Amino acid sequence: MREMVLSDPVGKVNLKENMSNRIGGIASLVFYKWGFLIFVIGFLLGRAMILSEILPFVLPFFATIFLMKREKAPIAMLALIAGAITVIPLNGAYVFISIVSFLVLYRLFNKLYENKMKILPVIVLSSVITSNIILTYAFEGVISNYDWLMTVVEAGLSFILTMIFIQSVPIVTERKRKYSLKNEEIICLIILLASIMTGTIGWIVYGMAAENMLARYLVLIFAFVGGAAIGSTVGVVTGLILSLASVASLYQMSLLAFSGLLGGLLKEGRKTGVAVGLLVGTLLIGLYGDGNGQVSTTVMESVVAIIVFMATPRTLIMKLAKYIPGTTEYWKEQQQYLRKFRDVTAGKVEQFSTLFQTLSNSFSNVSLPPEIEDTEREVDFFLSNVTEKTCQMCFRKQQCWTKNFDKTYNFMQDIMVSCEEDENVNKRLKADWSRYCLKAEKVIHVIQHELNQYQAGKKLKRQLLESRRLVADQLLGVSKVMGDFAKEIQKERENLQMQEEQILDALRDAGVDIGHVEIFQLDEGNVDIEISVPTNEHGECEKVIAPMLSHILEEQIIVKKVEKSHYPNGHTNVSFGCAKQFVIEMGIATVAKGGAWISGDSYSTMEIGSGKYAVAISDGMGNGERAHLESNETLQLLQNILQSGIEETVAIKSINSVLSLRSTDEIFSTLDLAMIDLQDATAKFLKIGSTPSFIKRGEKVFMIEASNLPMGIINEFDVDVVSEQLKAGDLLIMMSDGIFDGPKHVENSEAWIKRIIKEIEAAEPQAVADIIIEQVIRTGDNRIEDDMTVVVAAVKRNLPKWATIPMYQTSALRRKQA
């Protein structure tokens, strides 16, 4: 029983959906594929007349259909002729002759001009003039001035209507169309719809004019969708075209325009408000323009239009709203398109991220060839090459390698090991080998020669493996960066309109002249606001607006960027953001060996975009220009990789791989890196072959050290990361090995440096760095035996320059947002 109860509603829903889809498919087949919609429009336009005698809509509509949907041109021709005959039978002949004239002239002009869209209005104008001249001369035998005047008027209207219909007819007749209309296209669509309604003139239903009811229904729809501007525009255009068709309907233009304006202003009341606007406009204009006797008929026409408007499904109205710029539905449609575009872009970035991740895994998980993994097998291959060049043609081959294989193999292996450790073979081993082998000297010479190639091959294979690791690390880093970028793309910007209005009202209530407020980000610790102000000549933004925002948002807000207007008396755009909780003040002291100009040490301080501050020292092996180039290039690589967003450990491993692959000389670099988070003052220390660092906190001194070899010595290593929590007032002291090696008579350099730092009374980082360098040089008998570099970073809390300004009648926007 339960299964039957649950399954029945699902079946009903599916049946309704299938029925709705089937009805929609049949309607689409009849109206669009079979051309019934074109037939209806053509029939009504064939009936439409202006000034009771000219037909300016016929040829523009046929020309547009002929140009854009030529297979439906016969249907349009029959519809136009049928509609014209229902008004005056002679009009059918005029429509036929006009269409024939157009086809003939189109065939002539088609060979002269390639751009048919531009030449089409000219062809229509020529066809109207030609057909009017032929018919007038055929029936009257002479062409009067009045005939010429009406011919010119009809030709001019047809010329203009052709350009209008080219833009508006595809909107109605095409099933698939873009969800974005220009203002000109909207006006052209309204003109087309009003022209179609003109074909209903003369249709009377219970004493009510069909064109009046349709016109008011059209005004109701557009006023409800687009507001007062669109509603009044539709009323003016529709009333103008109806008044041209029938002079008695001249007052309809005022009624429709006023009703559209009132309905648009009352659209907040939904359909009822728009309907009330039409009724008020009908009563006011009806009483004034048409006399009391016809007010009841006019009101009934409006009531019928309201009833049909109320019965119109909201889904159909919302579909129309998607085409009107400025509406909520239009904005949602555009947002949906942007969301799809963003999701597609993020999907492609994620695909690249996955691709790089897969490539990284493939490089990381490559199985080594057996000859690289198995050392014994390598030795076997090496000795077989030696044997092939020495023992192959020896008459004692059978004796040595068959009967005494182990002894011969061990002898040659010992010689190989001895040559690897020292270029010359051990004398005792050489003497024993000479007594055993007849070609002892030749074998030793071949082993030494082959050993060079063997070692070169091993080095090449090692570099190949290191290249794979480098590529794997780099691909992994790029994959992480692209993955984070994809998440940022997919992150939707919140609708912060309410918060923008609150900030705007609060600042204006305080007497601050503000143009506009736009909030891009309102996360804790990450605020991004743009405000336009008339001027900032005296620092009003830093002194007044930023302190006010600090109180409103409960964040420390500062001015990030100021963009002055290029126009006189224009507004200045000012960007506000969160200040970091901590700031870093640097002090640096460095000297080169022997007082030279170029030091082998290099240092770098940089603020990374993610709210981190990096301090790095690199010591190139040796002294002079070569060591300086090595250390400086290490820091340049580090800076570029860190600013790209790659993680610190991956960056250091990549630099190590690059350095070990690039240089064949025994020149290596140390790296001492400290990454300080400016929001919470947490620090990460990555020390690659570098000396310990120190943290001075009041009277206490802490030492930070890690055991990592210099970069480039070994091919693969794990970076040892040390984390520490810094506090406001701490001094972070980093130094190169020249500081520790300076005093020769000091046995425990770390304890000695720690004592010096503890005894320093100065608090400024530059003074501390200078004192440490001075103490080391004096202790070393005023001699500089090595390059020395001291970098001191003072961690200070970021105190606001201006106090916050309390704002009354406001509360924290963060809580409201939550």
Side-chain angles (χ1 to χ4, degrees):
M1 291 294 292
R2 184 174 297 176
E3 291 181 359
M4 293 178 63
V5 172
L6 290 175
S7 61
D8 287 342
V10 176
K12 292 179 181 179
V13 171
N14 292 335
L15 182 61
K16 289 181 180 179
E17 290 181 356
N18 294 334
M19 184 64 69
S20 176
N21 294 334
R22 185 177 300 177
I23 293 173
I26 294 174
S28 175
L29 178 67
V30 172
F31 280 92
Y32 292 101
K33 190 172 182 180
W34 291 358
F36 184 71
L37 181 61
I38 293 177
F39 183 85
V40 173
I41 296 174
F43 181 82
L44 293 176
L45 289 177
R47 288 178 47 84
M49 298 180 64
I50 289 181
L51 302 178
S52 302
E53 58 178 294
I54 62 177
L55 301 170
F57 306 104
V58 173
L59 209 52
F61 178 72
F62 177 80
T64 304
I65 295 297
F66 182 80
L67 180 66
M68 297 183 177
K69 300 177 74 70
R70 185 167 299 186
E71 69 279 2
K72 299 294 190 299
I75 298 176
M77 179 178 177
L78 293 176
L80 290 169
I81 295 175
I85 291 175
T86 58
V87 180
I88 302 175
L90 187 60
N91 287 350
Y94 169 75
V95 171
F96 179 76
I97 293 175
S98 299
I99 292 175
V100 172
S101 301
F102 167 79
L103 294 175
V104 173
L105 293 175
Y106 184 85
R107 181 62 61 88
L108 295 176
F109 282 101
N110 187 30
K111 298 179 180 180
L112 299 178
Y113 297 94
E114 294 182 359
N115 195 335
K116 301 178 181 60
M117 193 75 71
K118 291 184 178 180
I119 200 61
L120 190 66
V122 178
I123 300 175
V124 171
L125 184 144
S126 305
S127 302
V128 171
I129 295 175
T130 302
S131 58
N132 276 333
I133 291 175
I134 292 174
L135 280 176
T136 304
Y137 191 79
F139 286 96
E140 299 180 7
V142 63
I143 303 175
S144 62
N145 292 334
Y146 178 79
D147 294 332
W148 279 111
L149 177 62
M150 299 306 293
T151 299
V152 172
V153 170
E154 184 176 358
L157 288 175
S158 299
F159 181 87
I160 297 172
L161 287 170
T162 302
M163 294 186 290
I164 293 174
F165 284 1
I166 287 175
Q167 299 184 64
S168 58
V169 169
I171 299 175
V172 179
T173 58
E174 293 290 338
R175 185 180 179 185
K176 295 181 180 179
R177 46 193 178 271
K178 59 180 181 178
Y179 285 105
S180 178
L181 295 179
K182 302 176 183 177
N183 293 329
E184 295 81 3
E185 292 176 332
I186 295 175
I187 299 299
C188 291
L189 176 62
I190 296 170
I191 293 174
L192 173 63
L193 296 176
S195 303
I196 294 172
M197 283 188 297
T198 307
T200 63
I201 291 179
W203 292 0
I204 306 297
V205 181
Y206 295 103
M208 297 177 291
E211 69 272 13
N212 293 338
M213 292 184 287
L214 290 174
R216 292 169 198 180
Y217 174 74
L218 186 66
V219 169
L220 285 171
I221 291 290
F222 277 94
F224 180 70
V225 168
I230 298 294
S232 58
T233 302
V234 172
V236 170
V237 174
T238 306
L240 177 62
I241 294 178
L242 289 178
S243 63
L244 289 176
S246 175
V247 180
S249 302
L250 185 60
Y251 82 98
Q252 292 288 337
M253 182 168 61
S254 302
L255 189 151
L256 294 174
F258 187 58
S259 300
L261 178 63
L262 287 179
L265 293 175
L266 298 175
K267 67 170 292 188
E268 296 299 328
R270 301 184 180 277
K271 287 186 176 182
T272 304
V274 179
V276 170
L278 176 62
L279 284 177
V280 173
T282 301
L283 289 173
L284 291 177
I285 303 299
L287 288 173
Y288 173 78
D290 202 32
N292 296 331
Q294 300 296 328
V295 172
S296 59
T297 303
T298 304
V299 172
M300 285 303 300
E301 291 172 346
S302 297
V303 170
V304 173
I306 290 172
I307 293 173
V308 178
F309 171 67
M310 291 293 185
T312 304
R314 184 176 178 82
T315 55
L316 296 178
I317 299 177
M318 293 304 101
K319 285 183 180 180
L320 176 63
K322 294 178 182 179
Y323 299 99
I324 308 300
T327 62
T328 304
E329 290 73 17
Y330 177 86
W331 180 81
K332 289 180 179 178
E333 195 69 29
Q334 295 299 314
Q335 289 296 316
Q336 185 176 1
Y337 170 77
L338 293 176
R339 192 178 297 112
K340 289 180 181 178
F341 181 77
R342 182 201 61 208
D343 292 342
V344 170
T345 305
K348 290 186 178 296
V349 175
E350 286 181 349
Q351 288 178 357
F352 281 114
S353 177
T354 305
L355 172 62
F356 286 126
Q357 177 71 42
T358 306
L359 291 174
S360 175
N361 294 336
S362 65
F363 277 101
S364 300
N365 299 330
V366 171
S367 59
L368 298 178
E371 60 270 16
I372 297 179
E373 293 179 336
D374 192 354
T375 306
E376 293 183 0
R377 188 171 181 178
E378 288 186 1
V379 174
D380 290 342
F381 277 118
F382 175 80
L383 295 181
S384 64
N385 291 331
V386 174
T387 303
E388 183 179 357
K389 296 181 179 179
T390 56
C391 302
Q392 192 70 26
M393 303 302 295
C394 181
F395 67 92
R396 294 191 62 184
K397 176 182 178 183
Q398 189 74 14
Q399 179 71 21
C400 296
W401 288 103
T402 302
K403 296 181 179 181
N404 300 312
F405 176 84
D406 293 337
K407 185 176 182 179
T408 306
Y409 184 89
N410 292 332
F411 256 125
M412 296 183 71
Q413 188 176 13
D414 292 341
I415 295 172
M416 174 185 172
V417 173
S418 179
C419 290
E420 282 184 329
E421 296 175 354
D422 191 0
E423 293 183 359
N424 298 320
V425 183
N426 183 277
K427 293 182 179 180
R428 183 177 178 180
L429 177 62
K430 187 176 182 180
D432 294 341
W433 175 248
S434 299
R435 288 193 297 269
Y436 180 78
C437 180
L438 297 177
K439 300 181 179 181
E441 290 294 334
K442 183 178 181 181
V443 171
I444 293 175
H445 177 73
V446 172
I447 288 176
Q448 290 175 341
H449 180 267
E450 290 292 326
L451 191 60
N452 293 331
Q453 296 182 358
Y454 170 74
Q455 291 174 345
K458 285 184 65 176
K459 186 175 182 180
L460 182 61
K461 292 173 184 177
R462 187 177 65 250
Q463 288 185 339
L464 177 61
L465 292 179
E466 184 58 26
S467 299
R468 288 177 177 174
R469 296 190 186 98
L470 171 62
V471 173
D473 291 341
Q474 292 292 334
L475 290 174
L476 181 61
V478 172
S479 174
K480 290 182 178 179
V481 171
M482 296 190 75
D484 294 339
F485 181 57
K487 292 178 182 178
E488 287 293 325
I489 293 176
Q490 285 184 317
K491 185 179 180 182
E492 287 194 39
R493 181 192 167 191
E494 300 177 59
N495 188 7
L496 302 173
Q497 184 177 0
M498 182 182 69
Q499 287 81 359
E500 292 174 355
E501 292 177 356
Q502 288 178 348
I503 292 177
L504 186 63
D505 294 340
L507 293 177
R508 285 181 175 175
D509 291 343
V512 181
D513 189 7
I514 298 296
H516 76 274
V517 176
E518 189 167 1
I519 300 176
F520 297 99
Q521 195 80 20
L522 204 59
D523 297 335
E524 186 175 357
N526 187 15
V527 174
D528 188 6
I529 301 177
E530 183 178 287
I531 298 178
S532 64
V533 296
T535 180
N536 190 39
E537 295 180 357
H538 305 289
E540 294 89 345
C541 295
E542 295 86 352
K543 301 174 184 177
V544 179
I545 298 179
M548 288 181 176
L549 291 176
S550 299
H551 182 267
I552 294 173
L553 300 175
E554 295 182 347
E555 296 274 0
Q556 186 178 334
I557 306 299
I558 60 173
V559 175
K560 291 287 188 180
K561 185 179 180 182
V562 178
E563 294 182 358
K564 294 185 178 180
S565 175
H566 299 288
Y567 304 99
N569 300 325
H571 279 65
T572 300
N573 293 327
V574 184
S575 297
F576 295 86
C578 279
K580 305 303 179 185
Q581 296 297 320
F582 296 88
V583 294
I584 306 297
E585 291 186 7
M586 301 302 303
I588 301 169
T590 181
V591 292
K593 179 181 179 180
W597 291 101
I598 300 177
S599 172
D601 298 342
S602 296
Y603 60 87
S604 177
T605 60
M606 65 194 104
E607 186 170 353
I608 303 174
S610 56
K612 296 181 179 179
Y613 197 90
V615 182
I617 298 177
S618 180
D619 182 6
M621 184 166 288
N623 308 100
E625 185 175 0
R626 179 65 184 275
H628 175 75
L629 290 176
E630 284 290 330
S631 60
N632 185 62
E633 192 162 353
T634 300
L635 292 182
Q636 288 293 330
L637 283 171
L638 176 67
Q639 182 173 353
N640 293 333
I641 295 176
L642 288 179
Q643 289 180 346
S644 69
I646 294 179
E647 191 181 7
E648 299 89 359
T649 54
V650 177
I652 290 178
K653 286 184 178 181
S654 301
I655 295 172
N656 177 74
S657 301
V658 170
L659 294 178
S660 61
L661 288 174
R662 184 194 58 196
S663 178
T664 57
D665 300 331
E666 294 295 323
I667 296 182
F668 311 109
S669 298
T670 65
L671 179 63
D672 193 358
L673 172 64
M675 298 286 293
I676 305 172
D677 194 321
L678 298 179
Q679 288 295 344
D680 55 10
T682 56
K684 291 182 180 179
F685 297 91
L686 297 91
K687 294 181 170 295
I688 313 299
S690 58
T691 56
S693 299
F694 298 89
I695 298 175
K696 183 179 181 182
R697 183 175 298 160
E699 297 295 328
K700 298 180 180 180
V701 178
F702 308 96
M703 186 169 67
I704 307 296
E705 59 182 345
S707 56
N708 291 317
L709 292 174
M711 306 186 73
I713 290 182
I714 58 176
N715 300 321
E716 185 176 8
F717 66 98
D718 293 326
V719 180
D720 189 9
V721 181
V722 179
S723 298
E724 290 289 339
Q725 178 64 54
L726 301 180
K727 296 182 179 180
D730 287 355
L731 290 178
L732 171 61
I733 302 165
M734 302 166 62
M735 55 194 72
S736 62
D737 59 356
I739 299 295
F740 287 83
D741 299 337
K744 300 298 182 182
H745 62 278
V746 177
E747 295 182 359
N748 192 341
S749 300
E750 287 83 358
W752 181 75
I753 293 293
K754 192 173 182 180
R755 181 177 58 81
I756 289 179
I757 295 174
K758 188 174 182 179
E759 293 175 354
I760 295 177
E761 297 180 357
E764 292 298 321
Q766 186 60 52
V768 173
D770 293 337
I771 291 172
I772 293 174
I773 286 281
E774 182 180 357
Q775 288 285 349
V776 172
I777 294 176
R778 285 184 177 181
T779 308
D781 298 330
N782 295 324
R783 290 182 298 180
I784 305 174
E785 299 293 341
D786 194 5
D787 301 322
M788 301 181 187
T789 300
V790 178
V791 177
V792 180
V795 181
K796 296 184 178 181
R797 190 168 293 278
N798 189 11
L799 299 178
K801 187 176 180 180
W802 303 94
T804 59
I805 299 178
M807 302 291 295
Y808 299 101
Q809 297 179 354
T810 61
S811 58
L813 297 183
R814 188 95 56 221
R815 292 194 294 270
K816 286 198 172 186
Q817 186 183 4

